[in-house]
Amino acid sequence: MNIIYFVVQNSFLFIVPLMIVALGGMFSERSGVINIALEGIMIIGAFFGIFFIRLFSGTMPDQVLIIVAMLVSITMGVIYSLFHAYASINMKANQTISGTALNLFAAAFTIYTAKVLVGAKQIDFKNTFRIAKVPLLGDIPVIGDFFFKNTYLFTYIGLALLLLSSYVLFKTRFGLRLRACGEHPQAADAAGINVTRMRYAGVMISGALAGLGGLVLIVPITTNFSGDVLGYGFLALAVLIFGQWKPSNIFFAAVFFGVTSTISNVASIIPFLAVLKLPSAVYKILPYLATLVVLTFTSKKSAAPKAAGEPYDQGKR
Amino acid sequence: MKKILAVLSILLVVMSLSACAPKKATYEIAMITDKGDIDDKSFNQGAWEGVKKYAEDNKKTYKYYKPTEISTAAYVAAIDLAVSGGAKIVVTPGFLFEPAILVVQEKYPNVKFVLLDGFPNNQIYTADYKEKITSNTYSIFYREEQSGFLAGYAAVKEGFTSLGFMGGMAVPAVVRFGYGFLQGAEYAAIELGLTSVNVKYFYTGDFADTPANQQKAAAWYAAGVEVIFAAGGKVGNSVMSAAAAAGKKVIGVDVDQSAESPTVISSATKGLGASVILALDSFYKNKFPGGTKVSLGADVNGIGLPQNFAKFTKFNKAAYDAIFAKLVSNSIDLKDNADAATADLLGLTKVIVTLEN
């Protein structure tokens, strides 16, 4: 039983950042802008968040510090995503190229800036944010062991963001307009919606979530940040597609990726899996194989927003 | 407006070109970085500190070059750049430089090369294998198995009986660290009369701090492992992160990593900086030992643990000095990567090795 708790607790280290970033990508693409700059935005978000933690570690309570650091990451993510928004919305640039440029720039920028600021590529930080047990909730049998022990504040923030995203996208006027701009911007425009403004909103939300996701990914897994989020921005894109641009499906896709990845790493201590002696590569392949299979069967009725990737052209019919 | 901008930008380009054209600075001592940077707190940094210290103490010009990618072609290009920048001696830290040095040692017979952790060869391990060292190349190896031995010995002497070894890529140096670690644990177990010591053994296949490596370490700690010897650059940072969460211990690698995390109780170091300084010194004294290969061990202080045992409760300096003296006198026969294909074939009796994949 302890091992099952362990696997679940650890899976969140994968699930939460993947889900947050994929939700960010969803908002952008639903508004009609493909955002493959997620990786770069994550790097920027992680960089400023971690740097903030390094500067202010010990000056305020840990959980307050992580909240402020998350706000820093979100802010910087939004600012960085504005470049993508400006290029792809105002300048009608190719969105793939703009996104690639941001990815390349982010990695170089963080290394350069880190060298100027701290004299080294790596930014050391102290991870003092782990919550061994949530008061009261952690005492609930079973559920407490699964969800309220050995955890981080951002696990709950991530789950809250999932519910919020679903509500905003499907139950608010803003969500409806955003989706309209991603499906048929000309129609949305004719109905009096400001397409430019909606697309800016979509990209900025994706910047906020990707920036946050970068910090959430890095904090639990290392003791210094060296300008790399290990391709998780691209993995989040896979989660987004696997999740067919819907918050609930994105959640399940992230859970699937997270649990299989975790199992691949910890299989050796799970008794019934250890007996099988399968190479860990087998488990690692699973989520990607599943993505391929799912895409094979769903690509015909793929739920991708119709206008995603196309600059809005008022004259086009 | 556009014309003004165009003129301005042309002016800017012309000015920046003319600014750097007249004087061409040269750098006598060059280092090419391997994977990672000069501040990786591990292999490259150790070598770079040696270069820097020697150059500053002796007023030599020095510079490091970072290859554009991890490939022999890029390494050769970086060395070309260093030579055209006036390098007289080039330090290349790492096994991955072997094929590049095989090429450049003949291309630049008047430039000296110091190859750490490697011997010039083409790294094609078939009938086409080719190795050659010319008189301008000095190949330095370290007896990592001795360093790992000390780490394993210290861990078991400290009272740990459930250990882990998490190496990076299974390159010879990493394998030697791992084998030494196991044999050190075995040696201490026999001394203490223990019936068994369990060691989980794994190569991550990278030198990175990834969620995968963090989870692997966390899983080991959850399964009862008390201390993990992390021999793989930034893999160590993931292990330290997991150790902090689990309240367990880590043994660092290459250089003293105790400043990186309070979980690091000791580090299996090799004297990268010191050996680079010696090589540079011999070069400037016209005694460059080109064409030779050395393996630096305990006898020349080429390896060891840092002289701070404050984080141990049972193991101490006296015990360390005693075992170190045995390594110096070569009275312990250690197997290295050439003697066993996998870690479970070392013929250990007390140490139970669990290989993971």
Side-chain angles (χ1 to χ4, degrees), chain A residues 5 50 82 97 104 114 159 167 182 184 187 193 196 198 203 212 215 223 246 262-263 288 294 307 312:
Chain A
Y5 296 145
I50 298 281
L82 285 174
I97 294 179
L104 294 173
L159 295 174
Y167 177 77
H184 202 307
I193 299 170
T196 305
M198 292 313 290
V203 175
L212 174 64
L215 182 70
T223 60
K246 290 193 190 71
T262 304
I263 287 177
Y288 305 97
V294 168
Y312 174 51

Side-chain angles (χ1 to χ4, degrees), chain B residues 206-219:
Chain B
D206 55 24
F207 290 108
D209 47 346
T210 63
N213 294 341
Q214 194 270 352
Q215 286 193 334
K216 185 92 186 172

Side-chain angles (χ1 to χ4, degrees), chain B residues 14-344:
Chain B
V14 170
M15 271 160 57
S16 56
L17 279 180
S18 56
C20 57
K23 55 168 185 189
K24 192 176 178 229
T26 60
Y27 303 93
E28 285 186 24
I29 307 174
M31 185 179 120
I32 318 293
T33 57
D34 189 4
K35 287 186 170 197
D37 216 330
I38 51 159
D39 48 16
D40 63 357
K41 303 203 169 149
S42 186
F43 200 71
N44 288 293
Q45 182 166 354
W48 176 243
E49 280 169 357
V51 169
K52 201 170 158 186
K53 181 162 189 335
Y54 183 83
E56 285 178 354
D57 289 352
N58 296 282
K59 309 259 182 304
K60 304 289 180 193
T61 51
Y62 63 105
K63 183 176 168 68
Y64 75 92
Y65 299 83
K66 196 163 169 47
T68 50
E69 58 172 31
I70 310 299
S71 72
T72 297
Y75 287 158
V76 170
I79 293 167
D80 287 343
L81 191 64
V83 173
S84 70
K88 293 179 180 165
I89 180 162
V90 179
V91 179
T92 54
F95 163 82
L96 294 171
F97 280 100
E98 287 178 339
I101 296 297
L102 183 71
V103 175
V104 297
Q105 63 183 356
E106 294 187 320
K107 190 169 170 187
Y108 301 112
N110 296 324
V111 177
K112 303 283 187 274
F113 295 96
V114 179
L115 175 55
L116 307 181
D117 258 357
F119 188 83
N121 71 69
N122 59 2
Q123 292 192 345
I124 298 168
Y125 303 107
T126 60
D128 296 330
Y129 180 79
K130 184 169 172 270
E131 63 168 46
K132 184 183 180 185
I133 188 162
T134 56
S135 62
N136 54 337
T137 299
Y138 179 39
S139 162
I140 302 178
F141 284 90
Y142 303 88
R143 307 220 25 208
E144 287 90 358
E145 70 277 14
Q146 292 189 341
S147 197
F149 177 90
L150 291 169
Y153 181 82
V156 172
K157 275 286 192 178
E158 176 66 9
F160 298 124
T161 53
S162 182
L163 322 177
F165 170 78
M166 202 176 279
M169 293 164 88
V171 297
V174 170
V175 174
R176 286 197 291 271
F177 269 124
Y179 286 7
F181 184 67
L182 296 172
Q183 294 173 83
E186 170 93 358
Y187 199 87
I190 291 170
E191 270 191 17
L192 294 172
L194 300 175
T195 48
S196 71
V197 171
N198 289 297
V199 185
K200 290 185 187 292
Y201 195 94
F202 179 62
Y203 300 111
T204 64
D206 55 24
F207 290 108
D209 47 346
T210 63
N213 294 341
Q214 194 270 352
Q215 286 193 334
K216 185 92 186 172
W220 281 7
Y221 286 130
V225 171
E226 296 155 297
V227 59
I228 295 178
F229 175 29
K234 291 203 70 180
V235 171
N237 296 101
S238 284
V239 176
M240 289 169 210
S241 178
K248 302 288 182 74
K249 303 296 178 202
V250 181
I251 295 174
V253 77
D254 288 345
V255 295
D256 184 357
Q257 294 187 313
S258 59
E260 298 218 16
S261 162
T263 59
V264 177
I265 54 169
S266 188
S267 304
T269 69
K270 38 191 194 183
L272 292 157
S275 60
V276 169
I277 289 172
L278 279 178
L280 291 173
D281 190 49
S282 64
F283 168 69
Y284 281 104
K285 286 183 177 148
N286 284 322
K287 287 182 199 157
F288 187 71
T292 61
K293 160 187 157 179
V294 287
S295 281
L296 305 178
D299 49 345
V300 289
N301 272 318
I303 57 95
L305 302 183
Q307 293 293 332
N308 180 357
F309 299 95
K311 285 182 184 167
F312 289 100
T313 53
K314 291 181 194 151
F315 189 70
N316 55 30
K317 180 156 168 50
Y320 174 75
D321 289 343
I323 191 75
F324 193 80
K326 283 186 191 164
L327 287 179
V328 170
S329 65
N330 252 329
S331 60
I332 301 169
D333 182 31
L334 285 181
K335 290 180 177 159
D336 65 18
N337 55 317
D339 300 319
T342 55
D344 51 352

